[in-house]
Amino acid sequence: DIIKEQNRELRGTQRAISRDRAALEKQEKQLELEIKKMAKTGNKEACKVLAKQLVQLRKQKNRTYAVSSKVTSMSTQTKVMNSQMKMAGAMSATAKTMQAVNKKMDPQKTLQTMQNFQKENMKMEMTEEMINDTLDDIFDASDEEEESQDIVNQVLDEIGIEISGKMAKAPSAARGLPSASASTTTTISDEEIERQLKALGVD
């Protein structure tokens, strides 16, 4: 409020100076006309007196410019001070806020919270990794078992053995194995099957 009042006073002073300067300029023109008039009539003494007045008037007019510059400078300084006061107020409010936050914050507690978070996060990652490894082992084992079974079935098929829950009948003579007749079947012993599997490299 004080700064606003000062600014109003400075603006009023500036307007008053401008009015005075305008009045001096008007008087200056009148004096110039009077000097010219006296010079035409040959009145040298009157010209000297009026010339001195004109010089003093012009000096006073120049002073108004100087004073106006000072007033403008003061107005600018007042605005700068007002801005600095606002900045100081903002910094004061910020400092109070920071003090309140610092009082609420416990560095040790915050550090402990961060450490707990890091520990629990590592545990979660380890658990997830273990679960993924277990699932990979299960599916890999299943795939290996299926692949192994496919190989065994292929080998058995190559040597003419059909699998349907248990070892069934031997293949017909069309595969090149000897047979007594169309209605007669030949049974292959377990030892023979194992021997043929080993010959093919299947344990």
Side-chain angles (χ1 to χ4, degrees):
D1 293 338
I2 295 174
I3 291 175
K4 289 180 180 179
E5 182 64 25
Q6 289 178 346
N7 284 331
R8 282 194 294 268
E9 291 180 359
L10 290 173
R11 286 194 297 269
T13 302
Q14 192 72 272
R15 287 192 295 268
I17 293 171
S18 297
R19 287 193 298 266
D20 291 342
R21 186 185 306 116
L24 291 172
E25 289 175 350
K26 185 177 180 180
Q27 291 178 13
E28 182 182 7
K29 290 179 181 179
Q30 291 176 354
L31 283 173
E32 288 175 355
L33 291 174
E34 288 291 330
I35 292 170
K36 290 179 182 179
K37 185 178 179 180
M38 291 296 119
K40 287 180 181 180
T41 59
N43 191 343
K44 294 182 180 180
E45 292 298 327
C47 288
K48 290 180 180 179
V49 173
L50 293 174
K52 289 180 180 180
Q53 291 180 4
L54 181 61
V55 170
Q56 294 297 323
L57 190 144
R58 288 178 176 176
K59 287 182 179 180
Q60 182 61 26
K61 187 179 70 172
N62 290 333
R63 292 190 188 101
T64 62
Y65 284 111
V67 173
S68 180
S69 298
K70 291 291 184 180
V71 172
T72 301
S73 177
M74 289 177 62
S75 179
T76 302
Q77 289 178 354
T78 302
K79 292 178 181 179
V80 171
M81 289 178 62
N82 187 24
S83 177
Q84 290 176 346
M85 289 176 63
K86 289 181 179 179
M87 291 175 59
M91 293 175 65
S92 176
T94 303
K96 290 180 180 179
T97 302
M98 293 174 65
Q99 288 177 356
V101 172
N102 288 332
K103 288 181 180 179
K104 293 293 183 181
M105 290 184 63
D106 185 354
Q108 295 296 330
K109 186 176 181 180
T110 303
L111 179 61
Q112 183 65 36
T113 300
M114 294 175 66
Q115 290 176 346
N116 290 339
F117 172 81
Q118 184 179 9
K119 182 175 68 176
E120 295 301 325
N121 188 49
M122 291 178 63
K123 288 173 61 178
M124 182 180 294
E125 290 178 355
M126 292 176 63
T127 302
E128 182 180 1
E129 185 176 355
M130 292 173 62
I131 293 174
N132 290 335
D133 290 343
T134 302
L135 291 175
D136 290 341
D137 292 341
I138 292 174
F139 288 114
D140 289 345
S142 177
D143 293 341
E144 291 177 359
E145 184 178 354
E146 291 180 0
E147 185 178 357
S148 177
Q149 185 63 38
D150 290 340
I151 294 174
V152 171
N153 291 339
Q154 182 180 358
V155 172
L156 293 176
D157 185 64
E158 288 177 357
I159 63 177
I161 300 174
E162 296 180 358
I163 302 297
S164 84
K166 61 181 181 177
M167 293 297 179
K169 298 178 181 179
S172 62
R175 290 186 175 269
L177 296 178
S179 60
S181 64
S183 61
T184 305
T185 61
T186 304
T187 302
I188 301 176
S189 64
D190 293 340
E191 292 78 4
E192 181 64 18
I193 292 173
E194 292 180 359
R195 186 186 65 76
Q196 292 180 4
L197 289 175
K198 288 181 179 180
L200 293 172
V202 180
D203 294 335

